[in-house]
């Protein structure tokens, strides 16, 4: 895969590596889709997972926010459960609900029935990444995967959960099944990231959306070793690694130690506190996603405060503290992008 020489000057990649940047780089989690009218139009009548398995649709949807906002990085359009679907797990994404698994994992035999992922399972991913890298030129593409705990939670619960009671019951009560499941998912996530980077992705992000449900001790014992396996393997690919979770203020130090170059900080944690907790690493974040619904001057004032706080970090990538809310006004995100990129760092 021939690398675009302009990527070396990318503000996003420079910040991720802890180098001096021409401006604070900005992109938005869930920027690909969600609130864009052009996304809703192209997705009309097409299911989420079906969209994620169509190289042309992946390419178009990933490019839409880059065209509209001029953000400093593209995020690959997919879903964290896509690799499970690709290897044959019977699941669907129900509108308004989320991923629903037909036969939740309960036993060691259930785990053993899940195949390992190979590039042959996801040819459309390789094709889409190749298409995107050619289109994006000097704009980096971020590949991503779901972290083992979050993906395991969907498999064990059978769908989204607030309490994660069945997941924790397995973690505490059937440790041999839990260990096998986490190793299985870590292997799938590693292979999925390898496919994306081999095709040209310039960075990767590991999403552990539900890790905030854990205590530091439980995270350290039951979860961190598996996230570490994924992040360490990604480290051998030569691209920056971002690690993000929601409600993980008490886990930020550990999430960095798991192998991240950049730790995502959600909006609940002041960025200055997050910087202090992650050590000698970059940070990403962390404007409250609801602030885009506030008056523009209020939104931009808060964004300025976050950029100022980010000066203390080894590197700072501006983002929301979680994903774009579907009812967001795209024009507000455009204003926010332009403000961040124009904000003086000298």
């Amino acid at each position: 895969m021939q690398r675009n020489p302009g990527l070396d000057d990318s503000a996003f990649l420079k910040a991720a590596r802890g180098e001096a940047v021409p401006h604070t780089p900005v992109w938005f989690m869930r920027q690909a889709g969600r609130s864009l009218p052009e996304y809703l139009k192209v997705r009309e009548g097409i299911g989420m997972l079906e969209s994620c398995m169509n190289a042309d649709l992946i390419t178009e949807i990933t490019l839409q926010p880059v065209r509209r906002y001029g953000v400093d990085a593209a995020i690959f359009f997919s879903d964290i459960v896509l690799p499970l679907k690709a290897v044959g797990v019977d699941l669907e994404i129900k509108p308004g609900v989320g991923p629903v698994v037909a036969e939740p994992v309960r036993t060691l035999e259930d785990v053993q029935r899940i195949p390992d992922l190979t590039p042959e399972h996801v040819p459309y991913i390789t094709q889409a990444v190749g298409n995107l890298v050619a289109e994006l030129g000097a704009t980096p593409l971020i590949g991503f995967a779901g972290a083992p705990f979050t993906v395991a939670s969907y498999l064990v619960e059978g769908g989204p959960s607030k309490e994660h009671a069945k997941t924790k019951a397995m973690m505490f009560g059937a440790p041999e099944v839990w260990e096998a499941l986490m190793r299985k998912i870590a292997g799938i996530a590693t292979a999925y990231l390898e496919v994306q980077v081999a095709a040209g992705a310039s960075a990767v992000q590991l999403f552990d959306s539900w890790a905030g449900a854990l205590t530091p001790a439980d995270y350290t014992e039951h979860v961190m070793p598996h996230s570490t396996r994924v992040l360490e393997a990604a480290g051998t690919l030569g691209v920056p690694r971002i690690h993000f979770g929601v409600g993980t203020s008490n886990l930020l130090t550990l999430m960095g130690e798991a192998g991240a170059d950049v730790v995502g900080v959600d909006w609940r944690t002041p960025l200055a506190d997050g910087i202090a907790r992650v050590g000698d690493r970059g940070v990403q974040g962390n404007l409250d996603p609801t602030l885009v619904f506030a008056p523009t001057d209020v939104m931009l004032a808060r964004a300025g405060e976050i950029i100022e706080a980010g000066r203390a970090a080894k590197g700072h990538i501006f983002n929301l503290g979680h994903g774009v809310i579907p009812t967001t006004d795209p024009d507000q995100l455009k204003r926010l992008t332009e403000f961040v990129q124009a904000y003086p760092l000298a």
Side-chain angles (χ1 to χ4, degrees):
M1 179 73 215
Q2 190 169 1
R3 178 182 167 87
N4 187 297
L7 287 168
D8 292 331
D9 295 322
S10 155
F12 168 80
L13 291 175
K14 283 177 178 286
R17 294 191 296 256
E19 300 169 5
V21 293
H23 63 266
T24 301
V26 51
W27 69 280
F28 305 111
M29 287 181 282
R30 294 183 183 154
Q31 68 185 13
R34 304 288 282 191
S35 64
L36 294 179
E38 55 265 40
Y39 165 76
L40 298 174
K41 183 177 179 181
V42 80
R43 272 277 324 272
E44 199 169 346
I46 304 173
M48 178 62 182
L49 285 172
E50 187 183 347
S51 303
C52 295
M53 301 169 87
N54 180 312
D56 290 338
L57 264 181
I58 296 168
T59 303
E60 169 60 21
I61 293 168
T62 303
L63 289 171
Q64 286 175 348
V66 180
R67 294 191 201 111
R68 183 183 273 260
Y69 305 133
V71 284
D72 291 287
I75 178 74
F76 189 73
F77 173 73
S78 191
D79 189 273
I80 61 172
V81 299
L82 185 277
L84 298 178
K85 181 73 172 180
V87 300
V89 175
D90 186 0
L91 62 83
E92 60 178 314
I93 297 179
K94 292 190 175 180
V97 178
V100 176
V101 179
E103 296 181 9
V105 171
R106 295 286 183 268
T107 67
L108 208 50
E109 292 71 29
D110 293 338
V111 176
Q112 291 164 349
R113 279 196 292 269
I114 302 172
D116 294 325
L117 184 132
T118 68
E120 289 71 31
H121 285 113
V122 286
Y124 43 86
I125 300 296
T126 300
Q127 183 183 343
V129 173
N131 294 346
L132 284 163
V133 171
E135 290 274 351
L136 287 165
T139 300
L141 175 67
I142 307 167
F144 79 90
F149 177 78
T150 292
V151 176
S153 178
Y154 284 117
L155 283 172
V156 176
E157 302 285 342
S161 169
K162 291 182 179 178
E163 294 82 15
H164 308 284
K166 294 173 184 173
T167 305
K168 291 184 180 182
M170 178 185 287
M171 190 169 75
F172 299 132
E176 70 290 346
V177 181
W178 179 256
E179 176 75 14
L181 178 59
M182 292 291 275
R183 290 186 69 84
K184 171 66 69 174
I185 298 169
I188 289 173
T190 297
Y192 191 53
L193 292 178
E194 287 172 347
V195 166
Q196 294 171 74
V197 174
S202 296
V204 295
Q205 177 156 314
L206 192 66
F207 283 87
D208 212 350
S209 307
W210 307 133
L214 298 163
T215 67
D218 291 337
Y219 178 83
T220 300
E221 180 177 356
H222 300 289
V223 174
M224 185 174 170
H226 305 284
S227 293
T228 298
R229 282 183 58 212
V230 179
L231 289 164
E232 285 186 348
T236 66
L237 304 176
V239 299
R241 301 155 294 173
I242 308 169
H243 198 185
F244 174 75
V246 181
T248 50
S249 179
N250 60 338
L251 303 178
L252 289 175
T253 301
L254 296 170
M255 291 178 73
E257 291 172 353
D261 301 296
V262 178
V263 179
V265 181
D266 87 351
W267 77 94
R268 299 170 180 86
T269 305
L271 192 61
D273 292 356
I275 291 167
R277 292 172 194 175
V278 305
D280 189 31
R281 294 178 175 85
V283 292
Q284 179 174 276
N286 69 337
L287 186 73
D288 185 333
T290 65
L291 270 164
V292 298
F293 297 90
T296 301
D297 59 340
V298 174
M299 173 186 74
L300 298 182
R302 291 290 288 275
E305 291 171 7
I306 288 168
I307 297 170
E308 288 293 338
R311 292 176 185 272
K314 180 179 181 181
H316 176 217
I317 298 165
F318 189 93
N319 208 312
L320 302 180
H322 197 200
V324 173
I325 296 169
T327 52
T328 295
D329 176 2
D331 289 342
Q332 276 289 76
L333 287 184
K334 175 68 172 173
R335 296 180 193 106
L336 180 57
T337 302
E338 292 173 346
F339 173 83
V340 174
Q341 292 173 334
Y343 195 95
L345 293 180

